[in-house]
DNA sequence: TTGAAAGCGCTAACAT
DNA sequence: ATGTTAGCGCTTTCAA
């Protein structure tokens, strides 16, 4: 697997490597004739500069690292597509890392990213993470970081998120307007900010509409369908069932959806259901799942733009931006009862 | 962002860099005392070897590249999890590339992988790819490649796949045994081997059971639910509807599922449906989707093992292995009619 | 047991 | 307009 280097070209053309290097980078101080000869040979030999050497020289890799909990979660897959969209156009390559919701793994990922001289980091933190020092020390060393979705409030850098409170509020409001009286919330893990904000939105809506707030109407689930399926089964087995459920994510909602069907209950009449994120699959369920749509692709784009900005202006202190994106309510059959128009 | 190098340690300890290097690698020719001092200081300074320098030196990156069409496809996400499982344990890092089913993109990915001195490549080819020369030239230069799932027959290297023919055969057989008479097949794109093999399995089963084979009972769809939803809508609008559908993948089946519900047809009584892959979501649909399960995680593990083997034994010619994994039929409500037991 | 020097591929002063 | 030299961080002969 011998690869062509600048040396090969120099030898063949009886030039020094620096001349070749300059010719290749189209430097103005190289003779037009020489330039042509170099370019032609490079072309013929299929010369490719060795990025590793470049990286060693410049301490830049033109790679940006992205840590997400799971790529299998379509929400993150779409965010990544948005990130790649911007990064690719700017000449950066996106290296994807999965924390698998595990703290140790996340720490390892961060270490890898820092050691491998990635130019920056985009991250949505793992459920298990309660200590943020691995991010903090990186940030303090001046390493460009942007948080998205599952952000960390303790670190003063750019963030991209949606208005979780408002999204949750409108989802709950929607259930209220559909005539639901016993609205439960299947929340995400407590310590994640998004879980708490969505919970607060749920509570605020109930409060505003004069509905009782019952602590035992809120149960918690991991952000995946397997876990929520179990949680929902228990919920539905209780004597006092909900007649409406707001799930903290679509994955959670999908588990609830399956549990409701399994229990032989009708949706939305006996139980109305709404999720959060509007995954592509949601509209294809039976009945189609209502959800609070998040602009995942746009979130990825925005995060990448902010990060690249940070990378290109090193040291320059810029006030951290928190870009809060809008959600929109997608009301579908899983929650739309035949009530008088709102 | 100054980072600690071997030089810093050498200076501080009044040693040469080579001594430090040797001490760090626990060379036997270094005094026990010196070793201790070096190790301690390295620890205290949080020294991390620069992998970029190592990579330039050794032409190895300890990275392996994986190209998949889309990480948003849960099948590939699971395969990747399997790959990471093996790679991680062997000290390799997995760099994920998406072709987005696009040929140009795939070529770029291959180029990146080769330029960046990745140690090997695992790949499942894009739908749009009809020319394999980018893989061929890499392979001819001795670069380790293993294909999985969407393999390329023209290149003589390790492959990991499932028995698509048999899986498709048993799915079709299952529909026949459920009493279906008009079994349609929503196939994948023609030129993909997996599509063709599944189509052949479908045909073979019909033939064996003395059922007619009708060309217009086979329609083609991209491997995603959006496209298959449209295809299925057309199918169901025709005067002579199917009473059974075998879809070439679960994503395709999910679109069909939604179309069948949308058309108000009952599943499995009016139309029985079965897919291929058994994605995690499939069992959660309403009605739950029957499918041919593929061991995706195992496929990833096997592919990674074969690749690392190839990497560790460079040049050594080994007869290419095709590891064909078993599928298993998951019969669920979308196809299970109340017929006498098979 | 340790050090000096060369080199991986490339670029950027600093010559000429 | 082109060449020489040094160096990015590290390992590895070769010397001592």
């Amino acid at each position: 697997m011998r690869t062509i280097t600048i040396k090969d070209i120099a030898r063949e053309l009886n030039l020094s490597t620096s001349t070749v290097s300059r010719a290749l980078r189209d430097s103005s101080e190289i003779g037009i004739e020489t330039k042509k000869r170099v370019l032609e040979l490079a072309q013929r030999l299929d010369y490719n500069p060795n990025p590793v050497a470049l990286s060693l020289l410049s301490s830049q890799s033109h790679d940006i690292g992205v840590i997400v909990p799971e790529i299998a979660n379509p929400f993150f897959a779409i965010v990544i597509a948005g990130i790649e969209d911007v990064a690719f156009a700017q000449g950066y390559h996106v290296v994807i890392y999965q924390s698998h919701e595990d703290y140790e793994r996340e720490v390892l990922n961060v270490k890898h990213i820092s050691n491998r001289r990635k130019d920056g980091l985009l991250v949505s933190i793992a459920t298990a993470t309660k200590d943020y020092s691995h991010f903090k020390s990186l940030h303090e060393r001046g390493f460009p970081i942007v948080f998205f979705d599952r952000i960390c409030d303790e670190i003063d850098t750019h963030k991209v998120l949606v208005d979780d409170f408002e999204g949750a509020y409108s989802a709950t409001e929607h259930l209220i307007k559909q005539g639901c009286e016993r609205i439960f919330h299947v929340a995400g893990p407590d310590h994640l900010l998004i879980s708490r904000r969505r919970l607060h939105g749920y509570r605020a809506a109930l409060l505003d509409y004069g509905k009782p707030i019952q602590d035992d109407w809120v149960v918690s689930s991991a952000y995946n369908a397997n876990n929520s399926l179990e949680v929902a089964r228990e919920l539905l087995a209780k004597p006092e069932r909900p007649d409406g459920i707001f799930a903290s994510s679509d994955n959670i909602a999908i588990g609830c959806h399956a549990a409701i069907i399994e229990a032989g209950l009708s949706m939305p009449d006996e139980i109305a259901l709404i999720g959060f994120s509007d995954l592509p699959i949601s509209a294809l369920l039976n009945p189609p799942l209502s959800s609070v749509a998040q602009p995942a692709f746009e979130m990825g784009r925005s995060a990448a733009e902010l990060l690249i900005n940070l990378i290109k202006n090193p040291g320059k202190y810029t006030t951290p931006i928190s870009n809060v994106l809008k959600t929109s309510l997608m009301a579908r059959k899983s929650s739309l009862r035949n009530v008088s128009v709102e």
Side-chain angles (χ1 to χ4, degrees), chain A:
Chain A
M1 264 273 302
R2 265 242 331 117
T3 44
I4 307 297
T5 76
I6 231 172
K7 263 190 189 170
D8 299 313
I9 300 181
R11 196 179 327 107
E12 187 116 348
L13 258 34
N14 264 316
L15 291 168
S16 73
T17 57
S18 42
T19 304
V20 175
S21 168
R22 278 183 282 238
L24 253 14
R25 336 203 80 245
D26 200 25
S27 159
S28 59
E29 48 183 346
I30 297 292
I32 180 90
E33 184 53 39
T34 315
K35 225 181 254 180
K36 227 175 76 185
R37 287 169 60 220
V38 170
L39 258 15
E40 267 175 22
L41 185 60
Q43 174 86 49
R44 194 156 63 71
L45 260 36
D46 187 29
Y47 166 77
N48 286 292
N50 183 337
V52 180
L54 257 7
S55 179
L56 181 60
L57 206 54
S58 66
S59 304
Q60 295 204 330
S61 58
H62 273 256
D63 281 344
I64 62 185
V66 182
I67 307 180
V68 294
E70 302 277 354
I71 54 173
N73 184 331
F75 171 71
F76 292 116
I78 297 169
V79 174
I80 288 172
I83 293 170
E84 282 186 343
D85 190 47
V86 169
F88 186 75
Q90 304 248 23
Y92 287 88
H93 181 244
V94 177
V95 182
I96 302 164
Y97 294 78
Q98 302 189 65
S99 62
H100 294 288
E101 304 286 16
D102 181 62
Y103 170 72
E104 315 289 343
R105 203 59 178 263
E106 189 179 84
V107 172
L108 278 177
N109 288 340
V110 168
K111 194 152 196 171
H112 197 276
I113 286 171
S114 151
N115 282 343
R116 301 300 257 260
R117 306 296 189 276
K118 303 303 177 204
D119 294 351
L121 167 59
L122 292 166
V123 58
S124 197
I125 57 188
T127 297
T129 301
K130 280 153 192 170
D131 177 280
Y132 307 104
S133 49
H134 49 308
F135 296 126
K136 264 184 201 155
S137 63
L138 208 59
H139 178 241
E140 279 159 12
R141 280 188 291 148
F143 194 93
I145 304 183
V146 173
F147 288 93
F148 64 91
D149 189 50
R150 303 216 202 144
I151 65 172
C152 168
D153 249 359
E154 300 176 22
I155 295 177
D156 202 31
T157 184
H158 296 330
K159 281 148 200 163
V160 185
L161 60 167
V162 296
D163 195 332
D164 292 292
F165 179 90
E166 195 188 302
Y169 186 100
S170 68
T172 311
E173 185 179 40
H174 168 73
L175 292 180
I176 294 169
K177 290 195 176 163
Q178 296 303 307
C180 296
E181 286 294 337
R182 305 173 46 77
I183 302 174
F184 282 44
H185 178 45
V186 183
D190 302 337
H191 54 282
L192 286 179
L193 214 52
I194 53 169
S195 307
R196 291 207 303 271
R197 288 195 172 141
R198 292 173 194 176
L199 173 60
H200 292 153
Y202 157 80
R203 285 216 186 102
L206 293 181
L207 202 62
D208 285 359
Y209 282 83
K211 304 288 173 189
I213 294 179
Q214 308 241 26
D215 281 350
D216 57 338
W217 286 9
V218 175
V219 294
S220 195
S221 160
Y223 278 122
N224 67 65
N226 280 338
N227 189 208
S228 69
L229 177 60
E230 290 173 30
V231 168
R233 274 179 185 148
E234 282 182 40
L235 210 67
L236 300 180
K238 285 185 185 167
E240 301 265 292
R241 275 206 227 93
D243 65 355
I245 297 178
F246 163 48
S248 191
S249 83
D250 273 14
N251 276 327
I252 290 179
I254 287 169
C256 297
H257 192 282
I260 293 170
I261 300 296
E262 193 180 85
L265 298 165
S266 76
M267 220 174 338
D269 296 327
E270 289 177 283
I271 301 188
L273 176 66
I274 184 165
F276 202 110
S277 280
D278 195 28
L279 301 182
I281 187 77
S282 301
L284 298 176
L285 297 181
N286 171 30
L289 177 64
S290 300
S291 194
V292 177
Q294 302 194 65
F297 192 84
E298 200 42 46
M299 179 178 282
R301 284 191 49 96
S302 172
E305 275 164 8
L306 289 170
L307 183 71
I308 290 175
N309 216 325
L310 230 41
I311 292 171
K312 292 198 170 162
N313 304 311
K316 187 184 292 180
Y317 177 78
T318 38
T319 325
I321 296 171
S322 279
N323 188 5
V324 181
L325 305 174
K326 284 272 162 248
T327 59
S328 58
L329 189 74
M330 308 299 287
R332 302 199 181 95
K333 287 217 187 108
S334 76
S335 70
L336 268 183
R337 292 175 174 173
N338 293 319
V339 289
S340 52
V341 180
E342 305 180 18

